[in-house]
Amino acid sequence: MLHAPQKEETVAEKTNRVQQTEDKLQELFGGVTGGMMDTDPEFMTILQRQIFGDIFHTADLDDRAREIITIVALATLQTLPQLEAHIHAALNIDVSPVTIRETIYQTAPFIGYPKTLNAIATMNKVFESHEIALPLPSSATTTEDDRFEKGRELQESLYGTEIKGAFASLPAPFNEAIAYHLSATGFGDFETRKDLSVAQRELLIVVILTAHGDVANQLVPHFHGAVKAGNSPEKILAALLQAYPYVGFPRFINAVRIFRETGLLD
């Protein structure tokens, strides 16, 4: 079962949650004052204590992993002011600029280029404020000549030939074009890149799809792909929980239910 037995929270645990929130906000953001804390302190207290006092201390994920999960969720949702704040936070805890860039680039096949460009513009604004020289070093591992073959090789190692078969009965040229673009671009141009592992990318894709919403047909194979790439079911659940305050409970719990139905948690 996914639900732990409920127990009454002790005074010590409540106090610890408050202190954990303050400590985590200091570590990530240098503390938080002003802004909506001045105008809406009750709401901000609820938000901060749930995210930074509770969720950041639930399950086995380090803070760098939590921040790139948060960044990919915010980029998908196009909540750019919050994305800006969390890119600052990621840099504050020594997430490398290249890792942040690759996290945002990985959203492109799922949210489209215009939204990804919005996120990149926000990212570069933060990088410039930290005096990080642009462009960053290349992470490409494919060329124009081999992007399709390398992409197809990676794709088939995780997903077999399912996509190719699914569209084979379409009229030409779509019977080949859809599978080609997925292999060459989704995998060849993006998922083969350096500086995030395939396991990290597949975990982030699960978060992207969860934030996107209404993509059950895509979540099912990507849960399998995330596990096959090397993520434990517990790590996937931890990533979904980390994304929950940003994507909302309905999308979070739908993703958890779909994950349970795959049988990967048995």
Side-chain angles (χ1 to χ4, degrees):
M1 297 293 290
L2 293 177
H3 301 287
Q6 293 184 344
K7 67 183 183 68
E8 188 172 347
E9 195 175 33
T10 66
V11 172
E13 287 170 330
K14 290 177 183 177
T15 303
N16 190 45
R17 189 173 82 114
V18 173
Q19 187 62 54
Q20 286 178 164
T21 301
E22 293 176 359
D23 292 345
K24 192 58 63 181
L25 288 172
Q26 184 64 40
E27 180 183 358
L28 294 172
F29 304 103
V32 176
T33 58
M36 293 190 75
M37 184 55 80
D38 287 344
T39 60
D40 296 271
E42 292 174 306
F43 180 82
M44 292 304 294
T45 297
I46 293 168
L47 178 158
Q48 290 174 355
R49 289 181 184 175
Q50 184 191 16
I51 296 174
F52 303 107
D54 283 334
I55 287 177
F56 258 77
H57 301 276
T58 304
D60 188 17
L61 279 179
D62 64 38
D63 284 357
R64 294 180 181 88
R66 291 182 186 278
E67 278 304 308
I68 65 170
I69 288 164
T70 301
I71 285 169
V72 84
L74 295 172
T76 301
L77 294 166
Q78 292 289 281
T79 47
L80 301 180
Q82 291 74 30
L83 175 63
E84 181 177 344
H86 279 278
I87 294 172
H88 279 293
L91 292 171
N92 288 341
I93 59 171
D94 297 324
V95 179
S96 75
V98 170
T99 296
I100 296 169
R101 180 194 67 185
E102 290 305 304
T103 296
I104 290 176
Y105 279 17
Q106 187 59 51
T107 65
F110 304 93
I111 69 173
Y113 292 123
K115 290 180 180 178
T116 306
L117 286 170
N118 288 343
I120 290 170
T122 299
M123 173 187 73
N124 287 343
K125 175 184 173 183
V126 176
F127 285 174
E128 288 166 1
S129 75
H130 285 256
E131 299 184 343
I132 295 167
L134 298 173
L136 298 174
S138 173
S139 293
T141 66
T142 63
T143 67
E144 192 64 25
D145 293 330
D146 65 12
R147 57 190 280 271
F148 171 69
E149 290 300 329
K150 287 187 175 180
R152 184 174 65 177
E153 180 182 355
L154 174 57
Q155 178 187 5
E156 291 183 357
S157 73
L158 295 173
Y159 299 101
T161 59
E162 175 187 354
I163 293 295
K164 183 177 180 180
F167 298 106
S169 62
L170 290 176
F174 309 103
N175 56 337
E176 294 183 358
I178 293 175
Y180 168 80
H181 285 296
L182 179 60
S183 297
T185 301
F187 288 91
D189 289 338
F190 286 103
E191 200 160 347
T192 61
R193 292 171 63 83
K194 297 183 295 183
D195 299 303
L196 284 177
S197 68
V198 173
Q200 287 175 305
R201 290 180 185 276
E202 285 293 322
L203 187 66
L204 292 176
I205 289 167
V206 166
V207 175
I208 294 166
L209 292 172
T210 299
H212 200 293
D214 195 28
V215 288
N217 288 341
Q218 288 72 43
L219 267 173
V220 170
H222 276 287
F223 279 132
H224 285 278
V227 170
K228 193 165 186 180
N231 295 289
S232 69
E234 292 78 12
K235 188 170 187 178
I236 294 169
L237 284 173
L240 293 175
L241 182 63
Q242 179 64 29
Y244 151 52
Y246 307 99
V247 306
F249 190 79
R251 289 180 180 180
F252 162 65
I253 203 64
N254 285 347
V256 171
R257 285 173 175 161
I258 292 166
F259 193 21
R260 290 187 68 179
E261 290 168 3
T262 64
L264 292 165
L265 289 167
D266 296 339

